[in-house]
């Protein structure tokens, strides 16, 4: 098992990481590296990841409030003390989703995989300058895990 910002890579997440096209990134060791297609296998010929941080809510299905959707997708709401605008402290993510329970049902594993992917995106590919918060702009992506591989971070075919 490898750790992503204090969160172990559980083997049960692998199918979701592969579906999202991020398994190759999750397997890397914790080292400084240059984001480079040949190193990470991140092609640039797919749909691009974009959007202003303040506009991410327009992508939320059904116009629900962001935190309602967060709870639907991850099964929990962070306490207000762990939130700064639309960003959640990494320590809360680590404590809440650090280890998926043994014997967890598939929906629970999917929730933990979503959290792991949000941590991976928010700390490895698109880290904020503080390096200790995860923005919830990733909700529209992790809501559709099966479509994540269509973005530019997807594996080459």
């Amino acid at each position: 098992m490898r750790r992503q910002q204090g969160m172990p890579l559980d083997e049960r997440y692998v199918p979701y990481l592969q579906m999202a096209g991020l398994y190759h990134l999750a397997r890397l060791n914790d080292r400084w590296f240059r984001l480079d297609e040949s190193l990470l296998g991140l092609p640039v010929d797919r749909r691009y990841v974009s959007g202003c941080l303040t506009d991410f809510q327009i992508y939320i299905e059904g116009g629900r409030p962001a935190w309602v959707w967060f709870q639907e997708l991850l099964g929990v709401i962070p306490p207000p003390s762990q939130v700064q605008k639309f960003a959640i402290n990494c320590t809360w993510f680590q404590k809440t989703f650090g280890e998926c329970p043994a014997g967890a049902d598939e929906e629970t594993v999917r929730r933990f995989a979503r959290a792991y992917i949000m941590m991976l995106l928010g700390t490895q590919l698109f880290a904020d300058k503080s390096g200790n918060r995860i923005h919830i702009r990733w909700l529209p992506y992790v809501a559709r895990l099966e479509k994540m591989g269509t973005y530019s971070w997807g594996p080459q075919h």
Side-chain angles (χ1 to χ4, degrees):
M1 258 194 256
R2 297 201 181 187
R3 293 196 174 269
Q4 161 56 34
Q5 290 290 70
M7 293 173 66
L9 173 55
D10 190 303
E11 292 301 316
R12 295 172 289 177
Y13 307 163
V14 171
Y16 298 109
L17 288 162
Q18 289 173 328
M19 185 185 316
L22 295 169
Y23 180 58
H24 56 288
L25 183 61
R27 289 187 346 214
L28 291 175
N29 289 325
D30 292 338
R31 295 184 197 163
W32 286 103
F33 54 85
R34 200 173 76 223
L35 282 179
D36 148 315
E37 182 176 353
S38 63
L39 175 64
L40 299 179
L42 298 172
V44 293
D45 60 348
R46 304 212 191 292
R47 294 174 18 187
Y48 58 89
V49 177
S50 71
C52 176
L53 291 179
T54 59
D55 293 339
F56 82 96
Q57 288 185 292
I58 65 173
Y59 300 106
I60 295 176
E61 295 173 346
R64 294 180 300 250
W67 295 109
V68 169
W69 205 26
F70 185 94
Q71 184 169 23
E72 289 172 10
L73 293 172
L74 297 168
V76 65
I77 293 274
S81 64
Q82 297 299 311
V83 176
Q84 294 181 4
K85 293 186 182 181
F86 290 110
I88 303 163
N89 290 336
C90 285
T91 54
W92 181 84
F93 255 79
Q94 293 164 347
K95 288 177 186 171
T96 306
F97 299 105
E99 292 194 38
C100 190
D105 64 19
E106 195 56 35
E107 182 55 33
T108 300
V109 172
R110 193 172 173 90
R111 286 177 175 165
F112 275 72
R114 283 184 176 123
Y116 186 90
I117 290 170
M118 286 180 70
M119 181 73 89
L120 184 67
L121 293 173
T123 61
Q124 296 295 320
L125 285 182
F126 304 101
D128 75 355
K129 62 185 171 188
S130 75
N132 63 3
R133 288 188 294 273
I134 305 299
H135 199 283
I136 65 170
R137 74 176 290 199
W138 305 116
L139 288 178
Y141 298 98
V142 299
R144 298 174 201 89
L145 290 171
E146 64 284 345
K147 292 187 179 183
M148 284 187 74
T150 66
Y151 289 93
S152 288
W153 58 59
Q156 296 183 30
H157 297 288

